[in-house]
Amino acid sequence: MGDCALPVLACPEQIALEGKAPVLMGSQCASCGEVYFPASTGCTRCCATEMVPYALGGSGSLWSWTIQGFQPKAPYNGGESEAEFQPYGVGYVEMACGVKVEARLTVADPALLKIGMPMTLTLIPYRNVPGHPPVFTYAFAPAA
Amino acid sequence: MSDEVAIIGVGLHPFGRTDHLSGQQQGAYAVREALKDAGVEWSQVGVAYGGSQDAGNADALSNLLGLTGLPFVNVANGCATGGSALASVIAAIKSGVAEIGVAVGFDKHPRGAFNPRPRDWGLEDWYGETGLMLTTQFFALKTQRYMHEYGIDEDALIRIAQRAFRNGALTPHAWRRRELSYEEIAESMPVNLPLRKYMFCNPAEGGAALVLCSAKHARKYTDRPVIVKAAVMRTRNHGSFEVFNPGLAATQSVAPTVTASRAAFELAGVGPKDIEVIQLQDTDSGSELIHIAENGFCEHGEQAHLLRTGATEINGRLPINTDGGCLANGEPVGASGLRQVIEICTQLRGQAGLRQVQGSPRLGYTHVYGAPGVSAVTILQSA
């Protein structure tokens, strides 16, 4: 990242960067209060259509995890060759509101992952193509 | 009985890889086999429903089978395509549209994992681009959580795969016919932990077809009709943990498998304890593990004991996936649900050879699950 330039994000609408640490953005049903990530245009719980923005925060606990052991086909666009591909962690992280967010994890070692462990939101450069700025997405790291 | 519908013919194009035949040709082959089994001509068929995911429209099979002018409806319901086609044919026969109907499914997938397009499923491109939209990932995440909640370890996953390949070895039309040892499965490549290579089925090719008619006419065509006591399809409710979900609701609700299963048992007027032979969706060992309980065949957490004690083997109390299931047959999505129905019909007719469940089973059960959270269940009874 440059000193002043904001990172290129794969999903800018899902991430708020105003403060020091990134925060995930979703929506909440104005009628029944159900929270959604990513933001939804309607409530699948009560069928209402008025939604308001909702900040899910940047920390939670690991709810489930796996290691992506093979390189996905398109539309995955990490940009690495098959030989360069490194397995990556994927998990659901339970946020304070109870919603579980699916995300890349910064670690891919089963020995370092345990359901229930505290996790912190960060950004990772998941797409790296020579001659282009890296593209970042949200990910969770074990909390320090 | 008077209102019921019977399966009078079944036909399969073996699953696997058939390079010289298109998916539609494999579908047409299955229909011809089913017609032969029922002893009826294509010209006698009054209604047909069918579909594939990657091999084109089912009504194009008429170009191969004969342009008889019949109403032929294309079904596109992912893994529930076969189940939805079957439910639709039954409704059509019950409503008097036709005396004889055909349900057909076929497919021909490229090698390797499925790569769905996010927008087809109402999702944004970034979900696929950042490497989160894989069915194998979902199955692993759901299995990992389930094993944590119910204290089940990897042994159960290995035993499910081992039984599938053992049964596949007994099934002449299965794709994978080599038994695998416990160690081979346990040490195979981690694909999406806790799931390994030999715990996953592969996308494949094949065709499956059924010929049905009103139960009151069934004896005209066959002396071994199979009555469809229930054919139910359900989609997900708010809060259930489904494939292709960037976020899960705070409060969990039951899976569509549970709602479809309960509705089917209620319709059929029987319970899980009455079922003598079972087909469960086993895209992977973890899915079958969960589906044993979601369909009511045991309590959550009891599976490890059932598997360890052999209860789910062909000679056990709950024979599951007697033909090796998706693990040994592969998964041509459009055809897979009807393969399950065909295996149960074969068992109820006592024609399953080396894999035959003993004691002349009369009641069988099939279950499919697929994206984006659909399930179809049938309960079948020998007449």
Side-chain angles (χ1 to χ4, degrees):
Chain A
M1 273 182 260
D3 287 341
C4 54
L6 286 171
V8 180
L9 297 174
C11 46
E13 287 172 17
Q14 278 64 51
I15 305 166
L17 283 174
E18 285 86 8
K20 275 181 291 187
V23 167
L24 288 175
M25 291 304 299
S27 63
Q28 184 173 32
C29 175
S31 178
C32 77
E34 188 75 355
V35 176
Y36 292 85
F37 179 84
S40 163
T41 55
C43 181
T44 58
R45 179 170 175 267
C46 76
C47 306
T49 54
E50 195 192 333
M51 309 293 287
V52 294
Y54 185 94
L56 287 89
S59 57
S61 63
L62 191 62
W63 192 77
S64 189
W65 61 271
T66 183
I67 310 295
Q68 182 57 40
F70 64 93
Q71 186 176 24
K73 297 177 187 171
Y76 172 69
N77 66 358
E80 69 274 60
S81 68
E82 208 177 324
E84 291 165 340
F85 175 77
Q86 291 292 321
Y88 56 86
V90 175
Y92 277 103
V93 172
E94 184 167 8
M95 309 302 284
C97 63
V99 167
K100 293 94 183 166
V101 172
E102 187 181 1
R104 299 271 296 246
L105 304 176
T106 59
V107 291
D109 178 355
L112 299 177
L113 295 168
K114 194 167 168 42
I115 289 178
M117 68 193 282
M119 306 293 284
T120 305
L121 191 70
T122 184
L123 297 178
I124 55 164
Y126 87 95
R127 174 172 162 84
N128 295 286
V129 177
H132 295 271
V135 180
F136 286 74
T137 188
Y138 61 90
F140 280 93
Chain B
M1 177 79 185
S2 61
D3 191 33
E4 288 180 325
V5 172
I7 297 167
I8 55 170
V10 302
L12 193 73
H13 184 285
F15 290 8
R17 292 285 171 201
T18 311
D19 290 341
H20 65 286
L21 291 182
S22 71
Q24 288 172 357
Q25 286 170 323
Q26 295 178 53
Y29 177 95
V31 172
R32 289 198 183 98
E33 289 291 302
L35 292 169
K36 208 188 305 173
D37 187 39
V40 305
E41 301 291 329
W42 176 241
S43 57
Q44 293 171 262
V45 177
V47 66
Y49 285 79
S52 81
Q53 179 170 289
D54 287 340
N57 296 335
D59 69 346
L61 300 189
S62 292
N63 293 335
L64 303 169
L65 296 166
L67 296 169
T68 61
L70 90 169
F72 200 140
V73 181
N74 293 312
V75 180
N77 250 347
C79 296
T81 294
S84 299
L86 174 59
S88 302
V89 171
I90 290 168
I93 291 172
K94 282 188 179 178
S95 71
V97 165
E99 178 171 321
I100 296 176
V102 160
V104 57
F106 56 93
D107 242 314
K108 193 175 180 90
H109 303 296
R111 282 163 216 276
F114 294 118
N115 58 329
R117 290 180 304 185
R119 286 181 190 276
D120 288 348
W121 304 88
L123 294 160
E124 301 279 338
D125 289 338
W126 62 264
Y127 185 56
E129 289 168 356
T130 59
L132 297 179
M133 193 177 179
L134 288 98
T135 51
T136 55
Q137 243 172 40
F138 158 74
F139 292 131
L141 289 164
K142 187 160 181 176
T143 300
Q144 184 89 272
R145 180 71 198 180
Y146 189 86
M147 291 166 67
H148 171 78
E149 283 183 14
Y150 295 103
I152 297 171
D153 65 22
E154 194 187 35
D155 175 77
L157 301 177
I158 298 164
R159 287 179 189 275
I160 285 171
Q162 206 185 1
R163 185 236 302 132
F165 294 112
R166 187 158 53 234
N167 291 352
L170 299 175
T171 305
H173 59 260
W175 184 23
R176 312 282 190 204
R177 300 206 59 206
R178 184 171 74 86
E179 276 195 58
L180 296 178
S181 72
Y182 189 95
E183 290 71 26
E184 259 179 301
I185 298 164
E187 291 159 15
S188 62
M189 189 189 92
V191 171
N192 276 105
L193 285 174
L195 301 172
R196 295 171 179 275
K197 179 181 172 184
Y198 291 129
M199 299 173 184
F200 274 108
C201 82
N202 295 104
E205 306 173 13
L210 307 173
V211 180
L212 299 106
C213 77
S214 171
K216 57 181 181 279
H217 301 307
R219 298 264 171 201
K220 276 200 287 190
Y221 304 102
T222 177
D223 56 359
R224 276 185 287 205
V226 172
I227 308 296
V228 183
K229 301 299 286 184
V232 174
M233 184 262 196
R234 288 288 186 274
T235 61
R236 62 212 175 281
N237 289 299
H238 177 79
S240 62
F241 182 1
E242 308 301 336
V243 63
F244 304 155
N245 249 327
L248 303 177
T251 304
Q252 299 279 291
S253 67
V254 296
T257 290
V258 175
T259 51
S261 175
R262 285 179 187 160
F265 279 123
E266 195 176 313
L267 258 179
V270 299
K273 288 192 165 54
D274 301 312
I275 303 294
E276 294 155 289
V277 55
I278 302 161
Q279 283 275 328
L280 299 178
Q281 181 84 345
D282 60 333
T283 43
D284 56 279
S285 286
S287 289
E288 186 191 302
L289 177 82
I290 297 168
H291 292 152
I292 298 172
E294 283 187 345
N295 285 283
F297 294 109
C298 70
E299 295 298 321
H300 290 290
E302 276 181 4
Q303 297 98 320
H305 175 74
L306 290 177
L307 290 159
R308 244 188 347 263
T309 55
T312 69
E313 303 289 331
I314 288 171
N315 60 2
R317 178 168 67 78
L318 291 169
I320 293 175
N321 294 340
T322 46
D323 63 349
C326 293
L327 286 170
N329 287 276
E331 191 190 24
V333 164
S336 200
L338 296 180
R339 170 192 54 77
Q340 299 181 321
V341 173
I342 290 172
E343 172 63 7
I344 296 298
C345 289
T346 306
Q347 290 282 349
L348 297 182
R349 291 161 156 200
Q351 296 172 328
L354 291 174
R355 67 185 192 283
Q356 179 66 47
V357 171
Q358 296 305 303
S360 306
R362 287 197 69 230
L363 262 184
Y365 186 96
T366 74
H367 158 263
V368 291
Y369 169 83
V374 298
S375 181
V377 166
T378 72
I379 295 174
L380 305 168
Q381 187 179 64
S382 57

